[in-house]
Amino acid sequence: MNSKVAFCGNIRKGLSIEKGYILANVNSGLIEEITFTEHTPKNFSGKIFNYDDNFTICAGDLNCHSHPEQSIYTDIVDRTWDLGTWCKNTIYKYSINLQPEHIYLGCLRAFSRMLSLGVTSVMVSYYCHGNKGNILDKEVIKAADNVGIRLYFGRMNYDIINEDAYIEKKNSQITYNETPGEAEFNFLILAGENYSHNIVVAPALHSIHASSKKAIIKGINLAFDFGKYMQIHLSEDKGDVDLSLKLYGLRPLEFLESLLINGEIKSLEHIILSDCIWINDNEINIIKKYNMKVVLNPRMNNRIKAGEANLKKLLEKHIPIYLGTDGEASNDDLSISGEKEFLKNKYTDVSPCIIDNLGTTPLMFNNGFIGNLEINSFCDLKILDRNHNIKDIFVGGKQIINDKKLLTMDIINDIEIPLKNALDKIL
């Protein structure tokens, strides 16, 4: 079987659109050639996808921050809830009852919806371990593999239990809880599995309020030693700033820098900071100084009344910015294009081209890169019609959506009906 595939038509690369073709290897999933020309590739024996002038070939979107299992809650949430109320009525109320089938089907729902919205790669931050080691974690990975999306799976260490919390919250935290040593062991076991080139497993941390200093140090160093990005919620809530000042006498990013200065961690450059709402100018300078990356979740932050990150100051410092959606139940949907449109409407004094370019700084992923169209990046494509609607989706050069229809499974019979039946038992 020929492993080569070609995509011919109008290609959006960066902010320009030109006619040309992309050659990729479906075995490696990588782009091998991009040529801008009116002609199709010569002497090419692989499969060719030709798109006329009604369509544009674009890089697929990266959803850089997501909790896909939270899609099980989409039908029960109230849009008026703030963050605390949302948590109380969703994750803290139900997460102790989640079984493998709930996680698997909920993630199938999330990943299939992402693909339909143009998302070809997703970074997941997963902490609902349920005191089950990697059993539930594997369901997330299995869902991504079966539906066909590219997955950067961040296995979070959540090691703090609030003894004075209300009972549902405390009981949930107990099911998330792992010591840093247990989290390291479980990560090593999970990372040692054999995966396709569409899957990466990395350490992750939850936050200042849910990860101890020991966990933060171990998680950052573990990710560095394995050459992985490590994501952490940072200053999503003002309470995290107050807690950091109380515990360490420093604001969250000042605390992280102090760990590096004191030789307790090996690097900060591989860290991706989620949210970054309650940070000051000095903390922005720290992000820039150590070449850290930021992922913003603007619609989620707005919907649950958490505040908003200062996009303009981050842009002024040329900090790499990515976009995420958090969980679907705390957002309007799982579309990165939707995040961009929200920002365009909010920041009318920022060029729409700059906002369109967010999330396209390439990230390492196994033996290639994601986020852009370049040689040695993965051939993850979304094909748009003239109205910017999704027609086709390819992940690693393999077609996952054809003319708006998911090819890997039946959404109603394989996902929605089984999920509804499973959720009827717990929601």
mmCIF file of all heavy atoms in Angstrom, residues 345-361:
data_model
loop_
_atom_site.group_PDB
_atom_site.id
_atom_site.type_symbol
_atom_site.label_atom_id
_atom_site.label_comp_id
_atom_site.label_asym_id
_atom_site.label_seq_id
_atom_site.Cartn_x
_atom_site.Cartn_y
_atom_site.Cartn_z
ATOM 1 N N ASN A 345 -13.986 40.187 19.006
ATOM 2 C CA ASN A 345 -15.079 41.074 19.408
ATOM 3 C C ASN A 345 -14.727 41.860 20.664
ATOM 4 O O ASN A 345 -15.199 42.992 20.844
ATOM 5 C CB ASN A 345 -16.352 40.256 19.645
ATOM 6 C CG ASN A 345 -16.918 39.690 18.363
ATOM 7 O OD1 ASN A 345 -16.756 40.276 17.295
ATOM 8 N ND2 ASN A 345 -17.573 38.543 18.448
ATOM 9 N N LYS A 346 -13.900 41.282 21.518
ATOM 10 C CA LYS A 346 -13.543 41.939 22.772
ATOM 11 C C LYS A 346 -12.405 42.928 22.591
ATOM 12 O O LYS A 346 -12.387 44.002 23.189
ATOM 13 C CB LYS A 346 -13.150 40.884 23.810
ATOM 14 C CG LYS A 346 -12.998 41.439 25.217
ATOM 15 C CD LYS A 346 -12.869 40.325 26.225
ATOM 16 C CE LYS A 346 -12.950 40.860 27.639
ATOM 17 N NZ LYS A 346 -14.252 41.463 27.964
ATOM 18 N N TYR A 347 -11.422 42.547 21.760
ATOM 19 C CA TYR A 347 -10.240 43.392 21.548
ATOM 20 C C TYR A 347 -10.281 43.971 20.132
ATOM 21 O O TYR A 347 -9.534 43.552 19.252
ATOM 22 C CB TYR A 347 -8.961 42.582 21.761
ATOM 23 C CG TYR A 347 -8.743 42.137 23.181
ATOM 24 C CD1 TYR A 347 -9.178 40.888 23.618
ATOM 25 C CD2 TYR A 347 -8.095 42.960 24.096
ATOM 26 C CE1 TYR A 347 -8.975 40.477 24.927
ATOM 27 C CE2 TYR A 347 -7.887 42.553 25.406
ATOM 28 C CZ TYR A 347 -8.331 41.316 25.813
ATOM 29 O OH TYR A 347 -8.131 40.913 27.114
ATOM 30 N N THR A 348 -11.160 44.924 19.929
ATOM 31 C CA THR A 348 -11.323 45.494 18.596
ATOM 32 C C THR A 348 -10.118 46.329 18.167
ATOM 33 O O THR A 348 -9.984 46.651 16.983
ATOM 34 C CB THR A 348 -12.591 46.364 18.549
ATOM 35 O OG1 THR A 348 -12.518 47.359 19.584
ATOM 36 C CG2 THR A 348 -13.839 45.504 18.759
ATOM 37 N N ASP A 349 -9.226 46.676 19.125
ATOM 38 C CA ASP A 349 -8.038 47.444 18.791
ATOM 39 C C ASP A 349 -6.827 46.546 18.535
ATOM 40 O O ASP A 349 -5.718 47.029 18.318
ATOM 41 C CB ASP A 349 -7.702 48.450 19.894
ATOM 42 C CG ASP A 349 -7.588 47.814 21.273
ATOM 43 O OD1 ASP A 349 -8.046 46.670 21.446
ATOM 44 O OD2 ASP A 349 -7.045 48.467 22.180
ATOM 45 N N VAL A 350 -7.032 45.229 18.570
ATOM 46 C CA VAL A 350 -5.977 44.279 18.206
ATOM 47 C C VAL A 350 -6.289 43.733 16.818
ATOM 48 O O VAL A 350 -7.430 43.374 16.519
ATOM 49 C CB VAL A 350 -5.904 43.113 19.216
ATOM 50 C CG1 VAL A 350 -4.891 42.063 18.757
ATOM 51 C CG2 VAL A 350 -5.532 43.630 20.598
ATOM 52 N N SER A 351 -5.291 43.694 15.960
ATOM 53 C CA SER A 351 -5.499 43.214 14.597
ATOM 54 C C SER A 351 -6.088 41.810 14.600
ATOM 55 O O SER A 351 -5.568 40.915 15.275
ATOM 56 C CB SER A 351 -4.180 43.214 13.830
ATOM 57 O OG SER A 351 -4.317 42.513 12.604
ATOM 58 N N PRO A 352 -7.166 41.580 13.833
ATOM 59 C CA PRO A 352 -7.724 40.225 13.739
ATOM 60 C C PRO A 352 -6.705 39.207 13.236
ATOM 61 O O PRO A 352 -6.768 38.035 13.601
ATOM 62 C CB PRO A 352 -8.871 40.396 12.732
ATOM 63 C CG PRO A 352 -9.245 41.840 12.815
ATOM 64 C CD PRO A 352 -7.963 42.573 13.082
ATOM 65 N N CYS A 353 -5.761 39.656 12.419
ATOM 66 C CA CYS A 353 -4.723 38.741 11.923
ATOM 67 C C CYS A 353 -3.851 38.222 13.061
ATOM 68 O O CYS A 353 -3.427 37.062 13.055
ATOM 69 C CB CYS A 353 -3.854 39.449 10.888
ATOM 70 S SG CYS A 353 -4.729 39.857 9.356
ATOM 71 N N ILE A 354 -3.573 39.084 14.032
ATOM 72 C CA ILE A 354 -2.773 38.657 15.194
ATOM 73 C C ILE A 354 -3.529 37.603 15.980
ATOM 74 O O ILE A 354 -2.952 36.584 16.400
ATOM 75 C CB ILE A 354 -2.429 39.869 16.083
ATOM 76 C CG1 ILE A 354 -1.440 40.796 15.350
ATOM 77 C CG2 ILE A 354 -1.854 39.416 17.424
ATOM 78 C CD1 ILE A 354 -1.131 42.072 16.101
ATOM 79 N N ILE A 355 -4.814 37.828 16.173
ATOM 80 C CA ILE A 355 -5.621 36.854 16.916
ATOM 81 C C ILE A 355 -5.736 35.553 16.131
ATOM 82 O O ILE A 355 -5.653 34.456 16.706
ATOM 83 C CB ILE A 355 -6.998 37.453 17.246
ATOM 84 C CG1 ILE A 355 -6.827 38.608 18.254
ATOM 85 C CG2 ILE A 355 -7.941 36.377 17.804
ATOM 86 C CD1 ILE A 355 -8.080 39.374 18.559
ATOM 87 N N ASP A 356 -5.908 35.635 14.814
ATOM 88 C CA ASP A 356 -5.974 34.422 13.997
ATOM 89 C C ASP A 356 -4.698 33.602 14.092
ATOM 90 O O ASP A 356 -4.714 32.380 13.909
ATOM 91 C CB ASP A 356 -6.236 34.781 12.532
ATOM 92 C CG ASP A 356 -7.694 35.059 12.244
ATOM 93 O OD1 ASP A 356 -8.554 34.508 12.970
ATOM 94 O OD2 ASP A 356 -7.980 35.832 11.314
ATOM 95 N N ASN A 357 -3.587 34.260 14.379
ATOM 96 C CA ASN A 357 -2.293 33.587 14.415
ATOM 97 C C ASN A 357 -1.981 32.968 15.783
ATOM 98 O O ASN A 357 -0.968 32.288 15.940
ATOM 99 C CB ASN A 357 -1.186 34.573 14.033
ATOM 100 C CG ASN A 357 -0.014 33.888 13.370
ATOM 101 O OD1 ASN A 357 -0.185 32.959 12.588
ATOM 102 N ND2 ASN A 357 1.192 34.327 13.681
ATOM 103 N N LEU A 358 -2.839 33.216 16.789
ATOM 104 C CA LEU A 358 -2.600 32.625 18.110
ATOM 105 C C LEU A 358 -2.647 31.098 18.021
ATOM 106 O O LEU A 358 -3.487 30.519 17.316
ATOM 107 C CB LEU A 358 -3.661 33.105 19.101
ATOM 108 C CG LEU A 358 -3.679 34.600 19.431
ATOM 109 C CD1 LEU A 358 -4.833 34.919 20.385
ATOM 110 C CD2 LEU A 358 -2.360 35.052 20.019
ATOM 111 N N GLY A 359 -1.729 30.456 18.716
ATOM 112 C CA GLY A 359 -1.723 29.004 18.750
ATOM 113 C C GLY A 359 -0.995 28.340 17.612
ATOM 114 O O GLY A 359 -1.024 27.108 17.488
ATOM 115 N N THR A 360 -0.312 29.123 16.768
ATOM 116 C CA THR A 360 0.368 28.538 15.612
ATOM 117 C C THR A 360 1.880 28.432 15.803
ATOM 118 O O THR A 360 2.577 27.980 14.895
ATOM 119 C CB THR A 360 0.076 29.353 14.336
ATOM 120 O OG1 THR A 360 0.544 30.701 14.502
ATOM 121 C CG2 THR A 360 -1.421 29.384 14.043
ATOM 122 N N THR A 361 2.396 28.865 16.969
ATOM 123 C CA THR A 361 3.800 28.605 17.264
ATOM 124 C C THR A 361 3.945 27.102 17.471
ATOM 125 O O THR A 361 3.285 26.538 18.346
ATOM 126 C CB THR A 361 4.251 29.351 18.534
ATOM 127 O OG1 THR A 361 4.022 30.746 18.372
ATOM 128 C CG2 THR A 361 5.730 29.103 18.812
#
